[in-house]
Amino acid sequence: AQSVAQPEDQVNVAEGNPLTVKCTYSVSGNPYLFWYVQYPNRGLQFLLKYITGDNLVKGSYGFEAEFNKSQTSFHLKKPSALVSDSALYFCAVRDNVKGYSTLTFGKGTMLLVSP
Amino acid sequence: NAGVTQTPKFQVLKTGQSMTLQCAQDMNHNSMYWYRQDPGMGLRLIYYSASEGTTDKGEVPNGYNVSRLNKREFSLRLESAAPSQTSVYFCASSEAPYTIYFGEGSWLTVV
């Protein structure tokens, strides 16, 4: 089965500074990778995905992610953090279990952006 | 622009009671899912439906049943609620194998 790891439970960054939220994956075959964001008491919102092609993927709200096959990583990045970016971020990988397609999620990383 | 709609948003149950979480999507997706979210554990798949009339168990199906009523609707039933089922439940849909879209969640407390 596929798996993802988010090694940091929490990331703290000051507003205006660049941010990185880390994700590593373990898959057999080509990886389909996703980032989602969850604001308090809300559902998960899709940010971006990597299926194939350019290793730098651009997504919603100014976020981007860099796919690195040799390091099996898919880190989420943003050049300049906003206080409103404070939320819970999930990395996920497509998984095929019993012949159907679903997502396997990491445990999540809380991003706190201070003013 | 509804997307995935689930009800109720909040519910408190007593141990042993039953209830059904309702979910509907308006994106004409074939695949629908029920996940639960627990602190420090990410999201775990309870049940999956690839199309109308088909359902499959996910990672944590015990204590739950599902019904894919039609292409739009996918309900989750707790027949005899237990405190271990206190969680946040998310319905989702996709046109497999790509992006999965989530509802806003149902907060369930079993006392």
Side-chain angles (χ1 to χ4, degrees):
Chain A
Q2 330 287 45
S3 66
V4 292
Q6 295 180 243
E8 303 154 316
D9 291 335
Q10 183 168 308
V11 170
N12 297 298
V13 64
E15 188 173 35
N17 284 357
L19 70 87
T20 298
V21 182
K22 296 179 180 178
C23 173
T24 58
Y25 64 89
S26 174
V27 303
S28 54
N30 294 321
Y32 287 14
L33 296 159
F34 300 78
W35 277 102
Y36 285 82
V37 60
Q38 184 181 29
Y39 298 101
N41 299 322
R42 302 295 300 277
L44 276 71
Q45 296 180 29
F46 169 71
L47 276 180
L48 50 81
K49 67 184 176 191
Y50 172 83
I51 304 296
T52 186
D54 195 346
N55 289 343
L56 186 63
V57 179
K58 294 189 182 298
S60 305
Y61 313 122
F63 284 93
E64 58 190 25
E66 186 172 10
F67 171 69
N68 187 317
K69 189 172 184 178
S70 63
Q71 296 185 6
T72 62
S73 66
F74 188 55
H75 299 332
L76 182 70
K77 300 181 179 183
K78 188 175 182 181
S80 179
L82 299 172
V83 173
S84 58
D85 292 330
S86 297
L88 185 59
Y89 291 81
F90 288 98
C91 182
V93 63
R94 192 191 77 164
D95 203 349
N96 277 305
V97 180
K98 302 179 192 175
Y100 62 81
S101 177
T102 182
L103 291 178
T104 294
F105 287 86
K107 292 186 179 356
T109 299
M110 180 64 71
L111 173 66
L112 294 177
V113 182
S114 56
Chain B
N1 194 15
V4 179
T5 304
Q6 54 181 111
T7 57
K9 179 87 171 180
F10 300 99
Q11 184 72 49
V12 178
L13 285 178
K14 294 182 179 179
T15 298
Q17 286 185 320
S18 62
M19 77 160 298
T20 299
L21 301 177
Q22 307 286 353
C23 176
Q25 53 94 6
D26 63 1
M27 295 175 282
N28 202 36
H29 288 162
N30 281 307
S31 300
M32 296 188 74
Y33 313 79
W34 276 104
Y35 288 88
R36 62 177 287 173
Q37 181 182 21
D38 301 290
M41 302 188 73
L43 277 79
R44 294 179 292 170
L45 182 66
I46 305 172
Y47 268 94
Y48 164 79
S49 173
S51 62
E52 181 180 351
T54 68
T55 61
D56 277 295
K57 295 178 180 179
E59 183 183 355
V60 288
N62 290 345
Y64 305 96
N65 286 301
V66 291
S67 295
R68 184 72 182 268
L69 304 171
N70 48 55
K71 190 171 186 178
R72 290 187 64 247
E73 298 174 288
F74 188 39
S75 62
L76 178 72
R77 183 161 178 84
L78 286 70
E79 292 290 352
S80 179
S84 60
Q85 294 179 303
T86 294
S87 187
V88 185
Y89 292 86
F90 289 99
C91 180
S93 72
S94 76
E95 198 54 48
Y98 298 114
T99 305
I100 293 180
Y101 295 93
F102 288 83
E104 288 293 293
S106 296
W107 274 253
L108 177 65
T109 301
V110 183
V111 297

